[in-house]
Amino acid sequence: MTKIELKIKGMHCESCAKTIEKTLLKEKGIFFTQVSFALEKAIVEYDPEKINIDKIKRIIKETGYKVLEKEEEKKDEMKSDWQKFWFGLILTLPVWIISVFFYDPKFNLLLFALATPVQIILGWSFYRRAYFSLKQKIADMNVLVSLSTSAAYFYSVFATFFIDGPVFYEASTTVLTTIFLGSLLEKISRGKVGEAIKKLIELEAKTAKVLKDGKEIEVHPDEIQKGDIIIVRPGEKIPVDGIIIDGKSTIDESMITGESLPVEKKEGDTVFGGTINKMGVFKFRATKVGKETTLAQIIKLVEEAQTSKAPIQRIADKVLNYFVPVVVLVALISFSIWYFWLKSEFLFALTTFVSVLVIACPCALGLATPMAIMIGTSKGAEKGILIKGGEYLEGIHQLNTLVFDKTGTLTKGKPEVTNIQGDVLQLAASLAINTTHPLDIAIVNEAKKKGIEFLKVENFEAIPGKGIKGIINGKEVKLGNRRLIESDLNKDWEEEGKTVILVAVNNKVEGAIAVADTLKEYSKETILKLKKMGFEIWMITGDNRKTAEAIGKELGIENILAEVLPQDKEKEIKKLQAEGKFVGAIGDGINDAPMLAAADIGIAMGAGTDIAKETGGIILVKDDLRDVVKAIELSKKTLSKIKQNLFLAFIYNILAIPVAAGLFYHWLGFLLKPEIAALAMILSDISVISNSLLLKRF
């Protein structure tokens, strides 16, 4: 199966996107397609043995839209559309003024002359798309607009030249001009929604200075290859991902992690493309280039998320499948009842027919879900919370249980010295510096932190499973566990889940050092907040039960799954699900991949892994547990907006269609005119768009 992304030009609204989707899915060999009106993009998964890219492009073209071969400038298109709108408005205003205030049959030819260019220039795009839509046996919004305006216009033409009677030109011109304006407003809103993607793309560096044969060569970042050495000076953007090999600096990584404070970087640290070097000069070796960089993967992930659908969208999609045929039927019934049964004037019956078709345009219904998803995922990206799609946004509200991996998620994943008894740190560190064991590294780091000088060690020896020993200042010094040094010293530290390392000089115990994997800065705060939100919290770890329970007690977690091998974590998640729990799993995204995949929602921590290939549906770029709470709150807020939007769209159509059909005419004393119906339809779109844009304040 092959996956491609295509840029599409000519979509008028969300209804156009759905027409393209339905048309593509009819073809053999196409398994999946998502079309985003806001991003003007289609994602298509297909079998290359059954269908090729050229045929896919041809199908889109036959549906009435254009596939862009490369990124094309949109400003000219918008400028042209605005010119068409102003042209239409200049002609529509006199038509409307004459029809409403000064109507006389002698003006019919003038009204025809003014209305016809509007019908052709503004109506052409709707008629063209309606033709291609019907050709594919699909009825969309363009069909409704074309039917309503054509009925009003051609009846008026007939009345102008063949029969005596009032005309309806103000309806066709006002509806076309108003709906055309609505499409322009949607395009502007679409631009605002896509700002996050544009900002991310703008972060990419335009040039880079690569060192070759001792000389600096300025190149485009696309020309950088893995292994190249790049030099970065203050104020410059880092072009690709890599590891610092010389120098140190302070780097603004807010565009990647959402973290506002600059980060200190030194030799051996990772740097990310798109971030800004604040001060200091350094050289780094490129490790990820092109589409492999963290920034490129984030852009790709956010774009895919914004074209995805939440399961709740299926409700709107099912409604839209039958909506247009039902609306046309309602419009015909309305006309028939008023004209044939209630014996009203033809113009009155035609008004109800056109008004129903205009007011029922399903733009608001089509915009309800994608607008909220696009803004929600964009807002998440700004904050370093990457949500892979609508299904994850919606799925979070069902969660009632959260399972946290311990090491690297709740704890730092690196042992640290927590307690020291006796003046033994210098002796212990002098021995420990000769090994790479994590516990020994923790002791060495503690000594460095305190500025302790290391002593010379002779006859160094490692004793597997027990510890190390050597001669320091003529004395034998041992550093190890109770199997190497027999002592009951500080057993209470072990009750707290810490590892006790004893220090003996000439076989006499001089002191002890406790080492433990310490909690991350905001672990307690996060667990407490999640408990208050009503979640059942579990901790899962491969550590022994005593250590796990000690950490759990410190965090306030009562439910402990200890001594669980990485491959068995998935089974534990499934056991909880079998009990009827909706489980969210939080891990570091590497050895926790099976667990994250098994959970209803997987949340992966950290930016150090390959973001695009993470198992988690939600990725927290910053290694900050508080973002778990933010991700849940953002997802719930976005889902809430989707529901509000669907309510606004549904309630609008439920109330508006009967009014347009004249159902309440005898009680209200007025009939909803097509031009007012068009304005009401646009206002419904604006209400959905505005409600979605409120998410930007999250």
Side-chain angles (χ1 to χ4, degrees):
M1 191 163 65
T2 305
K3 183 175 176 181
I4 56 164
E5 290 183 4
L6 300 170
K7 293 290 286 182
I8 298 176
K9 184 179 177 181
M11 285 190 285
H12 172 75
C13 67
E14 201 62 41
S15 181
C16 299
K18 287 180 174 52
T19 298
I20 298 169
E21 279 184 6
K22 290 174 186 175
T23 306
L24 287 171
L25 286 171
K26 287 179 183 177
E27 286 296 317
K28 287 183 180 179
I30 295 178
F31 304 111
F32 171 83
T33 180
Q34 282 181 340
V35 181
S36 169
F37 161 63
L39 296 175
E40 296 183 299
K41 179 176 285 190
I43 294 175
V44 184
E45 290 182 10
Y46 66 99
D47 183 349
E49 292 183 5
K50 294 181 180 178
I51 191 169
N52 57 36
I53 296 174
D54 289 337
K55 188 173 181 183
I56 292 170
K57 290 178 180 177
R58 192 164 64 250
I59 292 165
I60 294 171
K61 187 178 178 182
E62 288 170 358
T63 311
Y65 304 90
K66 182 182 177 184
V67 177
L68 301 184
E69 297 301 328
K70 57 182 180 178
E71 200 65 39
E72 294 182 15
E73 186 59 58
K74 301 290 190 307
K75 288 180 182 177
D76 291 340
E77 185 187 346
M78 280 296 288
K79 186 180 178 182
S80 172
D81 284 348
W82 275 112
Q83 287 172 346
K84 287 179 185 176
F85 166 72
W86 290 117
F87 173 80
L89 184 64
I90 289 166
L91 295 180
T92 297
L93 283 174
V95 172
W96 189 82
I97 291 167
I98 292 169
S99 299
V100 174
F101 298 107
F102 308 105
Y103 179 70
D104 189 288
K106 67 183 180 183
F107 292 126
N108 282 1
L109 278 174
L110 174 62
L111 293 173
F112 167 77
L114 291 168
T116 300
V118 177
Q119 198 71 23
I120 294 169
I121 292 170
L122 294 191
W124 170 249
S125 59
F126 295 106
Y127 298 142
R128 182 176 177 274
R129 286 189 289 261
Y131 166 75
F132 283 112
S133 175
L134 290 171
K135 193 178 175 184
Q136 299 295 332
K137 298 182 175 64
I138 296 167
D140 62 6
M141 193 206 86
N142 296 295
V143 174
L144 291 182
V145 174
S146 301
L147 271 175
S148 59
T149 55
S150 296
Y153 174 75
F154 286 111
Y155 161 75
S156 300
V157 171
F158 190 73
T160 301
F161 295 102
F162 302 106
I163 61 171
D164 290 328
V167 292
F168 216 26
Y169 289 118
E170 83 281 2
S172 64
T173 54
T174 308
V175 166
L176 281 173
T177 305
T178 309
I179 292 178
F180 199 87
L181 173 63
S183 72
L184 285 172
L185 293 175
E186 280 188 28
K187 283 182 180 179
I188 292 167
S189 300
R190 178 178 66 192
K192 288 183 178 179
V193 170
E195 279 174 5
I197 298 289
K198 289 173 189 170
K199 284 178 184 175
L200 286 170
I201 292 170
E202 285 167 6
L203 291 174
E204 294 174 336
K206 303 296 182 285
T207 60
K209 294 181 179 72
V210 177
L211 289 175
K212 287 189 177 176
D213 301 324
K215 295 179 180 178
E216 282 186 34
I217 302 172
E218 192 169 287
V219 300
H220 190 275
D222 289 345
E223 298 174 45
I224 296 173
Q225 297 180 341
K226 287 182 184 178
D228 281 353
I229 306 299
I230 298 121
I231 185 165
V232 186
R233 293 185 171 83
E236 294 180 345
K237 280 185 180 178
I238 296 167
V240 294
D241 294 4
I243 295 172
I244 295 177
I245 58 171
D246 183 31
K248 58 183 179 178
S249 185
T250 304
I251 296 173
D252 178 2
E253 293 186 341
S254 58
M255 59 289 299
I256 297 290
T257 66
E259 182 60 62
S260 57
L261 295 174
V263 182
E264 297 288 336
K265 296 279 185 173
K266 60 184 185 305
E267 193 174 322
D269 287 342
T270 301
V271 291
F272 302 106
T275 58
I276 300 169
N277 183 27
K278 302 297 283 186
M279 57 181 69
V281 180
F282 65 90
K283 296 173 189 173
F284 75 95
R285 178 177 286 108
T287 56
K288 289 183 180 180
V289 298
K291 292 182 180 180
E292 296 177 351
T293 66
T294 301
L295 179 60
Q297 290 181 39
I298 288 173
I299 292 169
K300 184 184 178 191
L301 192 149
V302 174
E303 284 183 334
E304 288 185 357
Q306 293 191 344
T307 54
S308 72
K309 291 183 182 180
I312 198 170
Q313 175 68 20
R314 292 176 198 144
I315 299 169
D317 285 349
K318 282 181 181 177
V319 171
L320 288 170
N321 284 336
Y322 304 102
F323 190 82
V324 173
V326 168
V327 167
V328 173
L329 184 62
V330 169
L332 288 169
I333 291 170
S334 173
F335 175 85
S336 301
I337 289 173
W338 282 109
Y339 188 66
F340 295 111
W341 186 29
L342 298 176
K343 306 297 181 183
S344 69
E345 293 180 4
F346 179 81
L347 196 62
F348 184 97
L350 186 63
T351 299
T352 64
F353 174 79
V354 174
S355 293
V356 168
L357 292 177
V358 171
I359 207 163
C361 287
C363 283
L365 200 55
L367 287 169
T369 300
M371 270 289 177
I373 287 176
M374 284 185 283
I375 295 170
T377 51
S378 295
K379 197 67 190 175
E382 283 177 26
K383 302 294 180 187
I385 300 166
L386 303 180
I387 301 166
K388 283 191 171 181
E391 65 270 32
Y392 303 108
L393 272 170
E394 185 175 338
I396 272 195
H397 86 285
Q398 295 179 298
L399 297 180
N400 51 34
T401 304
L402 295 175
V403 180
F404 284 84
D405 169 55
K406 180 184 80 71
T407 308
T409 303
L410 291 169
T411 65
K412 293 177 181 176
K414 294 179 181 177
E416 291 182 358
V417 172
T418 57
N419 307 79
I420 301 173
Q421 183 181 1
D423 187 18
V424 294
L425 183 58
Q426 186 180 37
L427 293 172
S430 299
L431 275 177
I433 202 170
N434 294 286
T435 83
T436 56
H437 192 283
L439 298 179
D440 291 334
I441 290 170
I443 292 170
V444 170
N445 288 340
E446 183 68 15
K448 286 179 178 177
K449 202 186 329 182
K450 293 184 175 178
I452 291 173
E453 185 183 348
F454 293 91
L455 303 173
K456 186 181 178 182
V457 178
E458 296 176 319
N459 299 334
F460 175 83
E461 183 184 347
I463 306 162
K466 296 182 179 181
I468 52 180
K469 66 178 182 177
I471 305 297
I472 300 176
N473 294 333
K475 298 176 181 177
E476 185 185 59
V477 180
K478 292 180 180 177
L479 179 70
N481 56 33
R482 299 188 194 280
R483 282 182 286 177
L484 179 66
I485 303 167
E486 290 185 16
S487 173
D488 292 330
L489 194 65
N490 298 110
K491 283 201 169 182
D492 54 327
W493 288 352
E494 290 176 341
E495 294 298 319
E496 295 171 12
K498 298 172 183 176
T499 301
V500 176
I501 302 169
L502 300 165
V503 182
V505 179
N506 289 336
N507 292 320
K508 181 185 176 185
V509 179
E510 296 290 340
I513 298 171
V515 176
D517 185 4
T518 56
L519 294 178
K520 282 186 178 176
E521 190 176 358
Y522 301 109
S523 294
K524 275 187 184 179
E525 178 187 326
T526 300
I527 297 301
L528 182 63
K529 196 159 187 178
L530 290 169
K531 277 188 163 184
K532 285 182 179 177
M533 290 169 71
F535 289 101
E536 183 181 308
I537 308 295
W538 289 71
M539 184 177 78
I540 192 165
T541 180
D543 276 357
N544 64 72
R545 179 155 292 277
K546 188 178 285 186
T547 301
E549 286 177 349
I551 294 288
K553 186 178 179 182
E554 194 174 351
L555 286 167
I557 300 175
E558 296 82 22
N559 304 307
I560 307 292
L561 296 167
E563 299 173 18
V564 181
L565 296 172
Q567 61 267 30
D568 294 330
K569 288 181 179 180
E570 176 189 4
K571 295 174 186 174
E572 296 295 335
I573 297 293
K574 288 180 177 176
K575 282 181 188 175
L576 292 172
Q577 289 170 327
E579 295 172 15
K581 302 179 193 294
F582 284 90
V583 181
I586 300 96
D588 62 19
I590 304 168
N591 62 340
D592 296 318
M595 175 180 83
L596 298 180
D600 295 289
I601 300 287
I603 301 176
M605 302 282 295
T609 49
D610 190 345
I611 287 171
K613 295 177 182 175
E614 283 287 5
T615 313
I618 296 175
I619 299 163
L620 309 180
V621 179
K622 288 183 288 182
D623 209 19
D624 189 334
L625 272 168
R626 291 175 298 178
D627 285 346
V628 174
V629 178
K630 285 182 189 173
I632 291 169
E633 288 176 341
L634 174 62
S635 298
K636 287 187 173 181
K637 191 77 175 173
T638 306
L639 182 64
S640 173
K641 284 294 173 196
I642 291 171
K643 289 178 177 177
Q644 290 168 20
N645 288 347
L646 286 172
F647 173 78
L648 287 170
F650 276 121
I651 201 72
Y652 161 79
N653 281 299
I654 289 167
L655 295 176
I657 292 174
V659 173
L663 190 64
F664 305 110
Y665 174 70
H666 291 298
W667 291 278
L668 297 174
F670 72 89
L671 189 66
L672 195 66
K673 289 191 173 183
E675 51 266 42
I676 304 301
L679 183 62
M681 187 270 288
I682 289 173
L683 289 173
S684 76
D685 291 358
I686 291 170
S687 68
V688 166
I689 292 166
S690 302
N691 190 47
S692 299
L693 287 170
L694 290 174
L695 270 174
K696 283 180 169 260
R697 295 162 58 185
F698 174 82

